[in-house]
Amino acid sequence: MIVSKEAREFTVGILGLSTGKPLIVVNEQDASEMGLSLHSKAYVRSGEKATYASVTTTRTMVPRGRVLASLELAEKLGLKEGSPVAVKPAGLPASYASLLKRMRGERLTYSEMYSIIRDIVDGAYDEAEIAAFLLSQQFYVLDEDELSSLIKAMVETGVKVSFDEPVFDEHSIGGVPGNSKVALIAVPIVASFGLLIPKTSSRAITSPAGTADTMEVLARVDFTAEEIREMAKKTRGLLVWGGKLNLAPADDIFVNVERKLSIDPWHQMVASILSKKLAMSVESLVIDIPVGKKAKIEEHGHADQLAGLFIRQAAKLGMRIKVAVTFGGQPIGMSVGPALEAREALEALINRKGSRSLVDKAILIAGLTMELSGKVPPGQGENYARELFTSGKAYEKFKEILAAQGGNPNIKPEEVPVGRYTYTFKSPLEGAVTYIDNAAVTMVARAAGAPFDKGAGVLFHAKVGYRVNKGDPLFTIFSNSEGRLEEAISLASKYPMITVEGMLLKTLP
Amino acid sequence: MIVSKEAREFTVGILGLSTGKPLIVVNEQDASEMGLSLHSKAYVRSGEKATYASVTTTRTMVPRGRVLASLELAEKLGLKEGSPVAVKPAGLPASYASLLKRMRGERLTYSEMYSIIRDIVDGAYDEAEIAAFLLSQQFYVLDEDELSSLIKAMVETGVKVSFDEPVFDEHSIGGVPGNSKVALIAVPIVASFGLLIPKTSSRAITSPAGTADTMEVLARVDFTAEEIREMAKKTRGLLVWGGKLNLAPADDIFVNVERKLSIDPWHQMVASILSKKLAMSVESLVIDIPVGKKAKIEEHGHADQLAGLFIRQAAKLGMRIKVAVTFGGQPIGMSVGPALEAREALEALINRKGSRSLVDKAILIAGLTMELSGKVPPGQGENYARELFTSGKAYEKFKEILAAQGGNPNIKPEEVPVGRYTYTFKSPLEGAVTYIDNAAVTMVARAAGAPFDKGAGVLFHAKVGYRVNKGDPLFTIFSNSEGRLEEAISLASKYPMITVEGMLLKTLP
């Protein structure tokens, strides 16, 4: 058997599979002669384009001399049935020595960091190496120079969307249920003030709803960079999904592995947020850090440390920033889950009032964003923002945004479809709500089907501080699946979401 | 969109792909309804059998209600075209909490360790989690109880091959080029003494030849457990490949990830070797630890520590063990690469003599193995072994083994085909060989094509201590590919393998 490192020519067939990354199917004999095996990677070239691909072998699906390309590979190289490609075994990625260096806890320069991120984005590494890169940061925390190198490299290895004027944005680190709807109020306020705020957001990964999931209940959120630039010129504000724009694509790769390992290093969080914002040319940014029991950040000291990290990195990267540390000890507003939250935001905009934890927070965030523009006096942002909200200008702007994004601008809250199966938990006693457990709420809403089932979630009838009588409704679970509703009910019975405290704790028997 | 956690029934089609692990191809719409996505895993059941499978989605390759199974999935569940299967999203693996615990550096009990290994072998984890498990051992070294838990769990999650009498074996930790042929001499010596030594070995991963690669030049090495038991009854000794026997299958999974991360923790090495041996019911084992510059172990102190680890673990596991620390400062024998090494071993057996580093080492290892049986007086193993070697009994036994394994027992060394393209490096001066660089030899032999090209490798004409004249041949590179030979020559010119020192260092011009 002869092994050659030189590329061989093959004719391509298209395999109609989404494999998440480029995959090439090679005849077993060809593979064996070329030294390609199941756990190896090939470097595939077609004309000027080239990429790494994972190798899969077959005895039956392709004859010698032909290869099959997965959809991702075909798309990346622009391959069609019958295209010629050159395939060779991929050697060690150029950044491999830098990766090993980081694993030993040594510091990386910008060019070393860039080469790792470049190779990760190009598909040169498998999950194992990516996990090692992330875990090296658990054991040897990135220093601040490395962190800004990481952020810059993440931006440079993706698409940059540019605008003709300064771009503003606001972003919450999340971790509190019900928070996804805040942007549906804050963005139209800022846009109605005249600032450019083409907000990109993500879908929920571990929460019941991301801003993109919630906005999608009312309008489209998947647009190309070109469409976003065009729409933003008209509406000034947008609420779109950043997922398909290829902004800092390393981040999506990291998130997938972090989730598997249940790790969420602060530095990666800062890198994730700032890289996506820089890729959207954001110059002025408000960061919201909710703090409270069972939120992502539970202690004020930690919030301050994280805020410091954001502030120092933003300074290094030439971004204006304000960090708002907000109360995250219970859910935001009265609803959790995409459709329920979309309804609540819409109601607040139409009625020009709503739950204080929602409306006040949105106004606060919008006001801080406006202050960054220098066009409102310091400390006056909140007043300006409240005026835009209560005057109905924010709602008018939201309708423009809905129309631009292909939604129905005149939709009424009650027209938003929510889960058709419901179950209401009632208070077992007279008393006051003293605690709502964020983690239990998230678990129950997800068990009910959120965010995939957009109608699933939890609607609160009482929050902390509310007085309730015995038998008063506390919360209602929504779902479009009876099975899932049952599962959510059983979890909600086992892990109480709401604590009501009164004089009488129990009656017996 | 409704997501249900309940299993759905599908009809199976077979996808003729080897994907290295079970893979299921699901129609995009079915996947989306079930909450299955590209990065998720499905739990697939067919009758009594069930396994995890990675999910791949398609719009075109299967209609709704049907799924495609990769060859590994079909084999694992015994699926055929048209078989019914039940598919549901896989939840978190049962051992997930234990994995996170280990990542935090906490100690695991046997049942926690077992559950992790069980889930790894069952395919519940992706590379990211496996990398995290291995890296956790880099940062928080396994304690000795955890290590024996790991070894036991690795054995329990694979196949055990049992024999009707005590099993002996010898194993080198490797890392020195040319070592793969030692077993071809040691095993027949031990078997000709009457002991049962059905040696399983591995193929080269990072070295130019594994014992299985080298033996395969002369005979078949891939047998079933049943065939091995039958053959061993007759020949007493065997030299087979352990790869397809499913002995401690976790090890193969670990090795693949370790290679990607360039890590090779001692504890995993001990676990790898002892688990495979326990799975083969080995009761008495000799471990060879070569020590020397650019070997796997470079310092004597480290060899002693590693030996201690082997000895304490063997005691915990009820195995008799001897550890031989041997000289590994230059290649073993005069050849490196499967065919060249097979030739050299055959020549030594036929001629009853050969390179001292080969013959003496094989005799030493065989002698220690025999001492473990209690059938030779302590300290006399080497003498007994030498007698079996020089009398030709070992060669007769090797011929029996070759015949049993489907090889030609009467093959002559010169009939073993070696690389058809060769290039010989000559000494630039008169002097003595003072150093041979293991790492350079390995690199050059692999560049020439070893172990995939069985005829590729390096043949030495001189080793450390040899006197050479200017122009005397030092070594010859063999390859079956002209391109690869050139690459090997260029590497050998850049990274000198052999150092010759004399009075005259250089002439000018």
Side-chain angles (χ1 to χ4, degrees):
Chain A
M1 194 200 319
I2 300 171
V3 180
S4 160
K5 277 192 178 165
E6 291 107 53
R8 269 204 210 181
E9 296 284 332
F10 290 90
T11 307
V12 167
I14 306 295
L15 182 72
L17 285 185
S18 289
T19 48
K21 55 184 182 181
L23 180 99
I24 189 166
V25 182
V26 185
N27 177 283
E28 261 185 24
Q29 272 181 286
D30 285 336
S32 152
E33 286 178 6
M34 295 173 70
L36 287 174
S37 65
L38 264 182
H39 295 296
S40 67
K41 292 217 169 228
Y43 196 69
V44 186
R45 175 174 293 282
S46 166
E48 292 301 294
K49 294 181 180 172
T51 189
Y52 293 88
S54 295
V55 174
T56 287
T57 59
T58 181
R59 205 168 287 178
T60 57
M61 285 186 68
V62 275
R64 300 191 59 170
R66 275 178 68 84
V67 289
L68 295 176
S70 75
L71 293 177
E72 287 85 355
L73 178 59
E75 193 187 337
K76 209 155 180 183
L77 299 185
L79 302 178
K80 287 177 188 156
E81 200 66 40
S83 296
V85 287
V87 180
K88 64 175 181 177
L92 276 183
S95 64
Y96 192 63
S98 302
L99 175 64
L100 298 185
K101 193 173 161 186
R102 189 80 204 26
M103 285 169 66
R104 288 192 303 269
E106 294 173 43
R107 300 297 163 192
L108 300 185
T109 64
Y110 175 72
S111 76
E112 289 169 330
M113 187 66 88
Y114 176 84
S115 73
I116 292 176
I117 305 301
R118 177 84 269 164
D119 281 336
I120 287 174
V121 170
D122 287 349
Y125 289 119
D126 288 325
E127 270 186 13
E129 294 97 330
I130 295 164
F133 179 64
L134 294 170
L135 289 170
S136 82
Q137 301 173 34
Q138 293 281 96
F139 293 107
Y140 309 110
V141 175
L142 293 175
D143 69 26
E144 300 213 357
D145 286 338
E146 283 182 300
L147 179 54
S148 51
S149 293
L150 173 65
I151 295 170
K152 277 187 233 165
M154 287 168 72
V155 175
E156 292 306 318
T157 49
V159 167
K160 277 197 80 167
V161 181
S162 53
F163 296 87
D164 300 332
E165 54 178 306
V167 178
F168 292 77
D169 209 349
E170 58 86 17
H171 194 93
S172 175
I173 69 158
V176 177
N179 198 62
S180 83
K181 58 189 169 279
V182 174
L184 273 62
I185 299 175
V187 167
I189 296 176
V190 175
S192 68
F193 183 65
L195 301 179
L196 188 67
I197 182 167
K199 180 175 170 61
T200 53
S201 58
S202 54
R203 296 188 189 281
I205 296 173
T206 54
S207 74
T211 292
D213 299 309
T214 299
M215 184 64 182
E216 200 179 29
V217 171
L218 304 173
R220 270 182 60 204
V221 294
D222 55 327
F223 296 96
T224 65
E226 199 39 55
E227 288 169 328
I228 289 171
R229 262 207 304 271
E230 285 308 307
M231 294 189 306
K233 273 184 200 163
K234 291 177 217 152
T235 62
R236 317 296 297 156
L238 290 175
L239 285 145
V240 300
W241 177 46
K244 280 269 168 82
L245 296 174
N246 216 32
L247 309 171
D251 183 51
D252 304 313
I253 298 171
F254 291 147
V255 165
N256 177 44
V257 173
E258 283 166 9
R259 194 158 27 125
K260 288 186 181 176
L261 304 180
S262 293
I263 57 170
D264 189 4
W266 281 12
H267 285 76
Q268 278 293 337
M269 191 204 311
V270 171
S272 166
I273 293 171
L274 294 186
S275 64
K276 298 257 185 208
K277 297 303 172 192
L278 281 173
M280 282 295 287
S281 302
V282 172
E283 291 176 15
S284 308
L285 177 66
V286 172
I287 291 288
D288 165 37
I289 301 181
V291 181
K293 204 168 171 189
K294 302 211 183 164
K296 201 174 276 180
I297 304 292
E298 296 199 274
E299 292 173 31
H300 282 272
H302 291 168
D304 293 345
Q305 284 172 31
L306 180 58
L309 204 51
F310 270 112
I311 290 165
R312 291 189 301 276
Q313 286 297 318
K316 270 174 181 277
L317 297 161
M319 222 181 205
R320 271 189 289 188
I321 198 167
K322 286 229 179 195
V323 177
V325 176
T326 60
F327 176 66
Q330 67 169 339
I332 305 300
M334 304 302 282
S335 60
V336 170
L340 292 165
E341 293 191 48
R343 255 193 192 186
E344 187 180 7
L346 199 55
E347 269 168 4
L349 284 162
I350 293 173
N351 301 336
R352 308 176 192 187
K353 66 171 197 241
S355 164
R356 279 191 53 192
S357 64
L358 167 60
V359 169
D360 285 5
K361 178 167 181 177
I363 286 172
L364 165 93
I365 298 288
L368 286 173
T369 312
M370 287 151 60
E371 284 182 22
L372 280 177
S373 74
K375 292 180 181 162
V376 297
Q380 290 298 308
E382 200 171 335
N383 293 339
Y384 278 63
R386 191 172 299 280
E387 163 61 21
L388 292 163
F389 176 76
T390 50
S391 68
K393 285 190 184 142
Y395 176 51
E396 288 308 312
K397 179 54 76 179
F398 190 61
K399 292 209 285 184
E400 277 177 46
I401 294 173
L402 285 183
Q405 293 188 201
N408 168 14
N410 300 310
I411 190 166
K412 301 277 167 285
E414 59 275 18
E415 290 165 9
V416 176
V418 295
R420 88 191 82 139
Y421 302 104
T422 62
Y423 183 86
T424 298
F425 275 73
K426 292 178 180 162
S427 181
L429 57 120
E430 188 187 335
V433 175
T434 55
Y435 175 56
I436 302 187
D437 181 329
N438 282 326
V441 172
T442 293
M443 186 171 58
V444 169
R446 286 184 67 97
F452 305 105
D453 173 358
K454 294 219 182 269
V458 175
L459 187 68
F460 290 97
H461 307 292
K463 286 186 66 191
V464 173
Y466 281 51
R467 289 210 55 84
V468 290
N469 289 314
K470 185 176 174 182
D472 278 359
L474 292 176
F475 60 90
T476 302
I477 305 176
F478 288 72
S479 180
N480 281 306
S481 149
E482 278 189 275
R484 284 203 156 255
L485 181 69
E486 271 169 38
E487 200 173 328
I489 292 169
S490 121
L491 278 171
S493 310
K494 211 163 145 194
Y495 303 100
M497 292 199 290
I498 293 196
T499 307
V500 179
E501 288 182 283
M503 288 306 293
L504 180 67
L505 295 180
K506 224 183 201 179
T507 56
L508 291 166
Chain B
M1 192 200 319
I2 300 170
V3 180
S4 160
K5 278 192 178 166
E6 292 105 54
R8 271 204 208 180
E9 295 284 330
F10 290 91
T11 307
V12 166
I14 306 295
L15 182 70
L17 285 185
S18 289
T19 49
K21 54 185 181 182
L23 180 97
I24 189 166
V25 182
V26 184
N27 178 284
E28 262 185 24
Q29 273 180 285
D30 285 335
S32 154
E33 286 178 7
M34 295 173 69
L36 287 174
S37 66
L38 264 182
H39 294 296
S40 67
K41 291 215 170 231
Y43 196 69
V44 186
R45 175 174 295 281
S46 167
E48 291 301 295
K49 294 182 179 172
T51 188
Y52 293 89
S54 295
V55 173
T56 287
T57 59
T58 181
R59 205 168 288 176
T60 57
M61 285 186 67
V62 275
R64 300 191 59 170
R66 275 178 68 85
V67 289
L68 295 175
S70 75
L71 293 177
E72 288 85 355
L73 178 59
E75 193 186 338
K76 209 154 179 182
L77 299 185
L79 302 177
K80 288 179 186 157
E81 200 67 40
S83 296
V85 287
V87 180
K88 64 175 181 177
L92 277 183
S95 64
Y96 192 63
S98 302
L99 174 63
L100 298 185
K101 193 172 162 188
R102 190 82 208 17
M103 285 169 66
R104 289 192 303 269
E106 294 172 43
R107 300 296 164 194
L108 300 185
T109 64
Y110 175 72
S111 77
E112 289 169 329
M113 187 66 87
Y114 176 84
S115 75
I116 292 176
I117 304 301
R118 176 86 267 164
D119 281 336
I120 287 173
V121 170
D122 287 349
Y125 288 119
D126 288 325
E127 270 185 13
E129 293 96 329
I130 295 163
F133 179 64
L134 293 170
L135 289 170
S136 82
Q137 301 173 33
Q138 293 281 96
F139 293 107
Y140 310 110
V141 175
L142 292 175
D143 70 26
E144 299 213 358
D145 286 339
E146 283 181 300
L147 179 54
S148 51
S149 294
L150 173 66
I151 295 170
K152 277 187 233 165
M154 287 169 71
V155 175
E156 291 308 316
T157 49
V159 166
K160 277 197 80 167
V161 182
S162 53
F163 296 86
D164 301 332
E165 54 179 307
V167 178
F168 292 77
D169 209 347
E170 59 85 18
H171 194 94
S172 175
I173 70 159
V176 177
N179 198 62
S180 84
K181 58 188 168 277
V182 173
L184 272 63
I185 299 175
V187 167
I189 295 176
V190 175
S192 68
F193 184 65
L195 301 179
L196 187 67
I197 181 166
K199 179 175 171 60
T200 53
S201 59
S202 55
R203 296 189 189 280
I205 296 173
T206 55
S207 73
T211 293
D213 299 310
T214 298
M215 184 64 182
E216 201 179 27
V217 171
L218 304 173
R220 271 182 60 202
V221 294
D222 54 327
F223 296 96
T224 64
E226 200 38 56
E227 288 169 328
I228 288 171
R229 263 206 304 271
E230 284 309 307
M231 294 190 306
K233 274 185 201 161
K234 290 178 220 154
T235 62
R236 318 295 299 154
L238 291 175
L239 285 146
V240 299
W241 178 46
K244 280 268 168 82
L245 296 175
N246 218 30
L247 309 171
D251 183 51
D252 304 314
I253 299 170
F254 291 147
V255 164
N256 178 43
V257 174
E258 283 167 8
R259 193 160 28 127
K260 288 185 180 176
L261 304 180
S262 293
I263 58 170
D264 189 4
W266 281 13
H267 286 76
Q268 278 293 337
M269 191 205 311
V270 171
S272 167
I273 293 171
L274 294 186
S275 64
K276 297 258 185 208
K277 298 303 171 191
L278 280 173
M280 282 296 288
S281 302
V282 171
E283 290 177 16
S284 308
L285 178 65
V286 172
I287 292 288
D288 165 37
I289 303 181
V291 181
K293 204 167 171 190
K294 302 211 183 165
K296 202 174 274 182
I297 304 293
E298 295 199 274
E299 292 174 30
H300 282 272
H302 291 168
D304 293 345
Q305 284 172 32
L306 180 58
L309 204 50
F310 270 112
I311 290 165
R312 291 190 300 277
Q313 286 296 319
K316 269 173 180 280
L317 297 162
M319 221 181 205
R320 270 189 290 188
I321 198 167
K322 287 230 179 191
V323 177
V325 176
T326 59
F327 177 66
Q330 66 169 340
I332 306 299
M334 304 303 280
S335 61
V336 170
L340 292 165
E341 293 191 46
R343 254 192 193 188
E344 187 180 5
L346 199 55
E347 269 167 5
L349 284 163
I350 293 174
N351 301 336
R352 307 177 192 186
K353 67 175 197 243
S355 165
R356 279 191 53 191
S357 64
L358 168 61
V359 169
D360 285 4
K361 179 166 179 176
I363 286 173
L364 167 92
I365 298 289
L368 287 172
T369 313
M370 286 150 60
E371 285 182 23
L372 281 176
S373 73
K375 293 180 183 163
V376 297
Q380 290 298 309
E382 201 171 332
N383 293 340
Y384 278 64
R386 190 173 300 277
E387 162 61 21
L388 292 164
F389 176 75
T390 50
S391 68
K393 286 191 183 143
Y395 176 51
E396 288 308 312
K397 179 54 77 179
F398 189 60
K399 292 209 284 183
E400 277 177 45
I401 294 172
L402 286 183
Q405 293 187 203
N408 168 12
N410 299 310
I411 190 166
K412 300 276 165 290
E414 59 274 19
E415 290 165 7
V416 176
V418 295
R420 88 191 83 137
Y421 302 104
T422 62
Y423 184 86
T424 299
F425 275 72
K426 291 178 180 161
S427 180
L429 56 119
E430 188 189 333
V433 175
T434 55
Y435 175 56
I436 301 186
D437 181 328
N438 283 327
V441 172
T442 293
M443 184 170 60
V444 169
R446 286 184 69 96
F452 306 105
D453 172 357
K454 293 218 184 273
V458 176
L459 186 68
F460 290 97
H461 307 292
K463 287 185 68 191
V464 173
Y466 282 51
R467 290 210 54 84
V468 289
N469 289 313
K470 184 176 174 183
D472 277 359
L474 291 177
F475 59 91
T476 302
I477 306 177
F478 288 73
S479 179
N480 280 307
S481 149
E482 277 190 275
R484 283 202 156 257
L485 180 69
E486 271 169 38
E487 200 174 324
I489 293 169
S490 123
L491 278 171
S493 311
K494 212 164 144 194
Y495 303 100
M497 291 199 294
I498 294 197
T499 307
V500 179
E501 287 181 285
M503 287 306 294
L504 179 68
L505 295 181
K506 222 182 202 180
T507 57
L508 292 165

